């Protein structure tokens, strides 16, 4: 939070200089716009994680076809993956696959995992998203080769404010996995992160209905 806030304060002070050229003024305003948008994202995601951690969340559970939900989510990001030179491979063992979940929040889980893979997958590689039923459970896995060396323990990668890129130059708050974990916990499901060399894998399970 301090990083964008410091930038906002700095460039606000610079704008007070009456000798600024119009070009400089427009440049500083553009930077302020970017930094304030990032601060807004950070605050909103922090608020969401804190709210879910407190258990103060109402779930609107219903029978949801997770296969269809996954297809729709993957479709929304298809162009982004193409632009990032990534090959998104979707594999659904069977259709439909129903679970009793809050559809909107479960969409957020899927969306966060797909976005995370798109941000941190090595350019020119494949991202695999698999959905299947195993012993009465629905299992969703997302696998990608990381563009950054993964020195952290797998459990640390899911901790709040942890990032795969420690320089924190990418968009987002770094809370994507933490938010997904919180939503999965609210549904009494499980979410596991595994690292094998440069391979990053997230597995989410929830009871089938």
């Amino acid at each position: 939070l301090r990083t964008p806030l410091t930038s906002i304060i700095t460039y606000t002070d610079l704008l007070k200089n009456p000798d600024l050229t119009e070009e400089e003024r427009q440049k500083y305003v553009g930077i302020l716009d970017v930094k304030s948008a990032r601060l807004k994202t950070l605050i909103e995601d922090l608020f969401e994680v804190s709210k879910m951690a407190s258990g103060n969340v109402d779930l609107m559970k219903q029978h949801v076809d997770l296969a269809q939900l996954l297809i729709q989510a993957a479709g929304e990001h298809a162009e982004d993956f193409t632009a990032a030179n990534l090959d998104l491979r979707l594999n659904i063992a069977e259709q439909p696959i129903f679970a009793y979940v809050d559809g909107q929040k479960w969409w957020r889980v899927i969306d966060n995992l797909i976005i995370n893979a798109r941000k941190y997958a090595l350019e020119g590689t494949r991202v695999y998203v698999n959905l299947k039923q195993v012993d009465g459970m629905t299992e969703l896995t997302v696998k990608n080769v990381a563009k950054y060396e993964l020195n952290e323990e797998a459990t640390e990668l899911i901790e709040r404010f942890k990032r795969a890129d420690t320089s924190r130059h990418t968009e987002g708050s770094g809370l994507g996995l933490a938010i997904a974990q919180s939503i999965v916990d609210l549904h009494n499901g499980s979410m596991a992160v595994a690292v094998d060399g440069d391979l990053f894998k997230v597995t989410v399970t929830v009871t089938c209905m």
Side-chain angles (χ1 to χ4, degrees):
L1 290 172
R2 284 197 299 265
T3 302
L5 182 58
T6 299
S7 295
I8 289 170
I9 293 171
T10 299
Y11 284 99
T12 299
D13 285 341
L14 288 172
L15 281 171
K16 295 175 183 178
N17 183 353
D19 297 325
L20 282 179
T21 65
E22 184 58 28
E23 183 180 356
E24 288 174 325
R25 192 177 305 280
Q26 290 300 320
K27 177 184 176 182
Y28 295 161
V29 169
I31 293 172
L32 282 171
D33 186 50
V34 171
K35 297 300 182 181
S36 59
R38 172 154 175 73
L39 185 59
K40 180 175 181 288
T41 297
L42 285 165
I43 292 172
E44 287 177 346
D45 284 356
L46 177 60
F47 177 76
E48 184 171 2
V49 169
S50 300
K51 185 176 179 181
M52 286 188 288
S54 70
N56 186 27
V57 178
D58 293 325
L59 295 180
M60 305 295 291
K61 288 186 176 182
Q62 55 186 324
H63 295 284
V64 176
D65 182 356
L66 299 188
Q68 191 60 37
L69 203 64
L70 176 57
I71 291 170
Q72 292 173 0
E76 286 200 3
H77 294 285
E79 291 185 3
D80 293 334
F81 272 80
T82 300
N85 192 22
L86 295 169
D87 184 4
L88 180 60
R89 298 290 184 92
L90 201 62
N91 179 38
I92 300 176
E94 58 189 275
Q95 293 190 47
I97 298 178
F98 284 101
Y100 191 59
V101 298
D102 183 315
Q104 184 176 5
K105 286 185 171 55
W106 206 259
W107 170 279
R108 185 75 187 276
V109 172
I110 296 172
D111 195 57
N112 280 11
L113 295 182
I114 291 177
I115 289 174
N116 189 75
R118 193 259 302 165
K119 284 182 184 177
Y120 300 121
L122 180 66
E123 183 178 355
T125 61
R126 301 178 186 89
V127 174
Y128 294 94
V129 182
N130 302 323
L131 182 68
K132 62 182 179 180
Q133 289 182 324
V134 181
D135 299 328
M137 304 291 289
T138 296
E139 182 181 281
L140 170 69
T141 60
V142 180
K143 296 183 288 185
N144 66 272
V145 176
K147 67 170 69 173
Y148 302 100
E149 185 174 358
L150 297 174
N151 295 317
E152 299 95 336
E153 292 291 330
T155 52
E156 290 182 8
L157 290 170
I158 207 168
E159 289 180 3
R160 295 169 192 172
F161 305 109
K162 289 289 286 184
R163 296 290 291 263
D165 58 325
T166 53
S167 60
R168 297 174 182 246
H169 290 318
T170 59
E171 76 276 18
S173 64
L175 292 171
L177 291 180
I179 289 172
Q181 176 74 76
S182 297
I183 294 172
V184 171
D185 289 344
L186 288 172
H187 287 83
N188 297 316
S190 66
M191 178 171 158
V193 173
V195 174
D196 185 0
D198 290 332
L199 179 66
F200 181 79
K201 177 181 177 182
V202 182
T203 302
V204 174
T205 59
V206 68
T207 304
C208 294
M209 293 296 292

